[in-house]
Amino acid sequence: MGLDTAKPLSTLHEKASYDVADFAVPTGREEEWRFTPLSRLKGLHEGVAASANVVVHVDAAPEVTVETVGRDDARLGRAYVPADRVSAQAYASFEKATVITVAREAVASTPTVVTLTGSGRGAAYGHTVVKLEPMAQAVVVLDHQGSALYADNVEFVVGEGATLKVISLQDWADDAVHVSHHHALLAKDATFRSFVVTLGGDLVRLSPSVSYEGPGGDAELNGLYFVDAGQHLEHRLLVDHSRPGCRSNVDYRGALQGTDAHAVWIGDVIIRVEAEGTDTYELNRNLLLTDGARADSVPNLEILTGEVTGAGHASTSGRLDDEHLFYLQARGIPYEDARRLVIRGFFAQLVEKIEISELRERVLARVEAELEK
């Protein structure tokens, strides 16, 4: 399958193809790669990394079907066409894919947990498809652990009137490199809720995207990240509104501490001519806790129709509010405790949206551990 030029994703995502040869090896001067330290990708962008595997284990709800399939399965690659070289390399290189299916009108009684564990040897490539048939409901957790050099694509296909909630945890070891694309395709009146938590890894570049097949689609993308010294955590979002009466809301928040801690957030929203009645908003907030940390935040909103219900974006990056700290200290709370309270408050509204209590406590514990460093 070659280059797809029928429908550019946006002015910043103009090329889509399954063929690696359609994408030049990035140099770092390209808009989509200018923030990513290519030397730390260990060959993922050049296709020269030696092949290895990650271990995939799925603990599925009783109502969910899980299959391991080969590359020739017709369900693979139907919802998403790779939009950069690493994504195309991952699509061309995986050997087995995981397909998770929730039947029509089925309601999963427990979350389905996909645990991916890296071995630390060579590059691994993966592909996952989560498909909800009409009126189905499910919660899926993607839990990334261990040491890995890993590139993958994840397709979420949400049928008419279905509801899918996804929690993706990047809890890698300190030396891991992970480049991933998550794409959700929403049918008429479908609901998609995504919560991305990125804490571990040397370099993580995650690209969530959403597109709509019918009116009434509703997408909410939330994210939390905590960047330590030397880490590069990058999130590049795209919401492509091409159907009328759809909604999207994006809220990503991060904290950074230590020398050369680097967070990148790119938020692209395009509202096409035919997408009348769109309601969209995107927000990114970064808290710089120490000198030497850097946050790049670039919201982009491209509106091609004047008939929208609402459209906006906001981005802030700054230090802890001295007035907040002073208020707490004036009431007898020591500085370090006051600092923790302010940071917890910064994340609290988001963390409350994690409906699985065990995961919510795990994320809070990891944030607490970061604050102890």
Side-chain angles (χ1 to χ4, degrees), residues 81-237:
V81 182
D84 66 36
R85 185 178 175 90
V86 177
S87 180
Q89 184 71 58
Y91 187 84
S93 302
F94 75 88
E95 296 180 359
K96 297 292 183 179
T98 301
V99 177
I100 298 170
T101 306
V102 187
R104 184 185 185 94
E105 298 183 356
V107 178
S109 55
T110 60
T112 293
V113 181
V114 183
T115 304
L116 300 96
T117 305
S119 64
R121 296 185 298 274
Y125 302 95
H127 198 96
T128 304
V129 175
V130 179
K131 182 178 181 180
L132 269 65
E133 295 181 353
M135 308 306 294
Q137 298 180 35
V139 177
V140 174
V141 178
L142 305 176
D143 191 355
H144 302 86
Q145 304 176 9
S147 176
L149 177 60
Y150 186 52
D152 70 326
N153 296 298
V154 184
E155 300 177 79
F156 302 111
V157 184
V158 190
E160 185 171 334
T163 299
L164 174 61
K165 299 177 180 179
V166 176
I167 304 168
S168 178
L169 293 96
Q170 283 61 240
D171 201 7
W172 295 107
D174 291 342
D175 62 344
V177 175
H178 184 200
V179 180
S180 182
H181 279 70
H182 291 182
H183 184 73
L185 178 62
L186 276 58
K188 180 177 181 290
D189 297 327
T191 300
F192 179 69
R193 299 287 182 263
S194 168
F195 200 115
V196 169
V197 180
T198 306
L199 300 169
D202 175 63
L203 184 151
V204 176
R205 175 180 156 127
L206 182 60
S207 302
S209 57
V210 176
S211 62
Y212 301 84
E213 280 192 314
D218 186 346
E220 187 171 297
L221 308 177
N222 297 306
L224 180 157
Y225 48 92
F226 204 120
V227 194
D228 275 327
Q231 269 189 308
H232 179 95
L233 304 184
E234 183 169 346
H235 300 87
R236 307 182 66 92
L237 288 81

Side-chain angles (χ1 to χ4, degrees), residues 314-335:
S315 169
T316 62
S317 298
R319 300 190 178 277
L320 288 170
D321 192 316
D322 290 335
E323 290 186 5
H324 290 170
L325 292 173
F326 177 78
Y327 177 86
L328 295 172
Q329 288 179 276
R331 280 147 183 80
I333 299 176
Y335 172 79

Side-chain angles (χ1 to χ4, degrees), residues 228-285:
D228 275 327
Q231 269 189 308
H232 179 95
L233 304 184
E234 183 169 346
H235 300 87
R236 307 182 66 92
L237 288 81
L238 169 66
V239 182
D240 184 3
H241 282 278
S242 59
R243 297 292 186 272
C246 293
R247 173 186 174 273
S248 66
N249 187 77
V250 175
D251 188 348
Y252 269 60
R253 304 184 189 188
L256 300 85
Q257 64 182 8
T259 303
D260 294 328
H262 190 193
V264 177
W265 181 88
I266 309 294
D268 295 340
V269 175
I270 180 169
I271 305 174
R272 300 185 182 274
V273 173
E274 59 271 29
E276 296 180 352
T278 291
D279 186 4
T280 181
Y281 193 81
E282 57 176 349
L283 170 67
N284 178 230
R285 298 176 64 193

